[in-house]
Amino acid sequence: MFHSFGKHFLYTGLEGGSCHSQYGGWSNVWFLLSQCGVCPAPNGQSRKGGQVKATATYRILAMVKQEQKESSDRPDNTAFTQQRLPAWQPILSAGIVIPGFVLIGLAFIGVGVGLFITSQNIQVLELDYTGADTANPCYECGRQSTKNCVCTMEFSLSTLFKGPVFFYYGLTNYFQNQRRYGVSKDDTQLFGDLDAIKTPTSDCAPFDYDGNNRSIVPCGALANSIFNDTFKLYVKTNNSGKKEVPLDGKGIAWWTDYNVKHRNPDVTPLKDAFKDTVKPINWPKPVYELDTTDEYNNGFINQDFLVWMRRAALPDFRKLYRRITADEYHDGLPAGNYSLEITYNYPVLTFNGRKKVVLSNVSWMGGKNDFLGIAYLVVGSLCIVMSIVMLIVYAKFKFPEED
């Protein structure tokens, strides 16, 4: 007796002198067995009688083995692999969908109102000092090619500028996300590797070596174009004098940039690690002298350097320059008259860019961002409108049928 495997119909026995297949059909069985003289042909002509010869047995066994071999890669016959697990599918009706849209809309509107009001309460003061207009106090500095040109901008605060106050510099039309510009650096060098300091990667070209074949440290266009304007903030006193507002530059960079991505060479003094190297072309001083007031804020872990090396995603951006956190200004900048002294070094007019100073405070949601609250309000309003439309459609086409 034989059995059926897939498309193959195998001989199962003799009953009353005729051959039978377990599932019926002669197309595959007869050709094999009729050749061996066991089964008659379909047209009524009989073959010579006798038992199944060894040849037929061999062929049948070969077919069985072949079928078993083909089925070895099939998924197991389980509820999981054959997708027979019980499933649940919600039946969406008007009584579920319409209230659901209303609840979602109300939730989004509530969150949007909270975000928008919070954003409106954040104070922001922007001062453009590009010098593109003749009325701007920095107009002359913007037109001169001399370094360290100083200009002063005056501004007043009518109310308390709540703290903590963050001091940013902003640039527009500056594409830090340009691919070639972004890869123009040596990460191994910035990690403090002495070999990379002597032989920077070719990605830094043409800012890798100077004319005397001395390595530039740090190399690359990104480091060479570091923002180098400096600022001093003063508050005017009653006796026509002025008092400097302390600006805190510690901890303004990302933690990962300071502790993970960048390292100074393990050499003391730090200056010896940069022997026989030169500073970037546009830098006024070498990397190991960036901060003369704090020896631990030099080299590749200088806070201003780290902030600049963290590239911006958009062409209009601002970067943190300082924080105003002194005890006297813990609650913020009091109302009064202020002056901002700017050392103008960074040229932007050549590429139609602009520069600005931004004073801002923050809230639980971060800095000022009206878009997020507006987006929630729009989505919530659309959900409410869609629920009203669905209710009208349902009332028009469904209620008459129920009546």
Side-chain angles (χ1 to χ4, degrees):
M1 178 179 292
F2 304 97
H3 297 280
S4 173
F5 297 89
K7 295 182 179 179
H8 300 288
F9 294 81
L10 303 183
Y11 172 69
T12 59
L14 291 172
E15 296 182 6
S18 62
C19 294
H20 297 276
S21 173
Q22 182 177 357
Y23 298 103
W26 282 94
S27 59
N28 294 319
V29 178
W30 173 81
F31 178 77
L32 178 62
L33 299 183
S34 63
Q35 302 300 322
C36 305
V38 177
C39 299
N43 58 6
Q45 298 178 358
S46 62
R47 299 284 181 174
K48 62 181 180 177
Q51 297 180 350
V52 179
K53 296 182 180 180
T55 304
T57 303
Y58 174 79
R59 292 180 181 178
I60 293 173
L61 292 176
M63 294 169 62
V64 173
K65 292 180 180 180
Q66 178 67 21
E67 186 68 21
Q68 291 176 343
K69 181 178 180 181
E70 293 178 356
S71 63
S72 62
D73 295 333
R74 294 178 182 177
D76 296 334
N77 188 22
T78 63
F80 178 77
T81 57
Q82 298 298 331
Q83 300 183 12
R84 296 196 300 267
L85 291 174
W88 175 83
Q89 181 178 359
I91 299 176
L92 300 179
S93 62
I96 296 176
V97 174
I98 295 177
F101 265 72
V102 173
L103 293 176
I104 293 174
L106 293 176
F108 269 69
I109 290 176
V111 174
V113 170
L115 291 174
F116 186 77
I117 293 177
T118 302
S119 178
Q120 290 296 308
N121 291 332
I122 296 176
Q123 298 169 283
V124 177
L125 174 65
E126 296 187 357
L127 301 173
D128 189 307
Y129 71 98
T130 307
D133 304 325
T134 55
N136 193 289
C138 296
Y139 176 77
E140 293 298 330
C141 291
R143 291 295 182 270
Q144 296 177 8
S145 59
T146 57
K147 297 292 183 181
N148 298 321
C149 179
V150 178
C151 57
T152 302
M153 300 195 71
E154 310 283 344
F155 66 94
S156 299
L157 297 177
S158 57
T159 59
L160 173 68
F161 201 99
K162 296 180 181 180
V165 180
F166 294 84
F167 190 114
Y168 301 88
Y169 63 85
L171 295 174
T172 62
N173 200 35
Y174 195 110
F175 292 84
Q176 263 200 325
N177 60 348
Q178 204 272 346
R179 187 194 65 83
R180 186 66 186 88
Y181 175 83
V183 300
S184 183
K185 61 179 180 178
D186 190 340
D187 289 324
T188 306
Q189 183 186 88
L190 297 175
F191 197 70
D193 186 90
L194 293 175
D195 292 334
I197 290 177
K198 300 300 182 182
T199 56
T201 178
S202 59
D203 290 336
C204 291
F207 302 101
D208 48 357
Y209 296 96
D210 70 348
N212 297 320
N213 203 32
R214 292 177 298 179
S215 60
I216 299 175
V217 181
C219 70
L222 183 57
N224 183 65
S225 58
I226 188 173
F227 185 83
N228 58 352
D229 285 358
T230 58
F231 309 93
K232 289 183 179 181
L233 181 62
Y234 298 92
V235 56
K236 294 184 178 180
T237 59
N238 295 329
N239 55 1
S240 300
K242 61 181 182 180
K243 179 182 178 181
E244 185 174 359
V245 178
L247 302 178
D248 183 13
K250 295 182 179 180
I252 60 175
W254 283 29
W255 184 91
T256 51
D257 291 342
Y258 184 82
N259 294 280
V260 179
K261 293 184 62 176
H262 294 249
R263 287 282 190 276
N264 276 336
D266 191 12
V267 177
T268 305
L270 182 61
K271 180 179 180 180
D272 293 345
F274 302 98
K275 186 179 180 180
D276 298 328
T277 65
V278 294
K279 64 179 180 61
I281 300 173
N282 292 335
W283 285 30
K285 47 191 173 182
V287 67
Y288 51 84
E289 294 179 353
L290 291 178
D291 190 347
T292 57
T293 62
D294 185 1
E295 62 176 329
Y296 299 104
N297 191 34
N298 283 302
F300 300 138
I301 58 173
N302 175 266
Q303 292 290 317
D304 292 321
F305 177 70
L306 294 177
V307 170
W308 179 256
M309 296 299 287
R310 170 66 60 173
R311 293 187 297 139
L314 301 175
D316 299 342
F317 60 87
R318 66 184 188 185
K319 291 178 178 286
L320 184 59
Y321 180 75
R322 294 292 184 268
R323 285 194 294 256
I324 302 176
T325 58
D327 293 338
E328 185 178 354
Y329 302 97
H330 181 268
D331 295 331
L333 294 174
N337 298 319
Y338 293 83
S339 64
L340 180 65
E341 185 179 290
I342 304 169
T343 303
Y344 197 110
N345 291 314
Y346 206 75
V348 294
L349 294 176
T350 53
F351 56 87
N352 296 323
R354 300 190 75 89
K355 299 189 293 184
K356 62 183 177 181
V357 167
V358 182
L359 296 177
S360 175
N361 47 32
V362 296
S363 67
W364 60 269
M365 62 165 287
K368 189 177 182 67
N369 184 5
D370 293 340
F371 173 79
L372 190 60
I374 294 174
Y376 270 88
L377 290 173
V378 170
V379 174
S381 301
L382 288 177
C383 288
I384 298 296
V385 171
M386 289 300 300
S387 65
I388 295 174
V389 172
M390 288 187 291
L391 181 61
I392 295 174
V393 172
Y394 180 75
K396 182 177 181 180
F397 295 100
K398 185 65 177 179
F399 290 160
E401 296 179 4
E402 292 181 351
D403 295 339

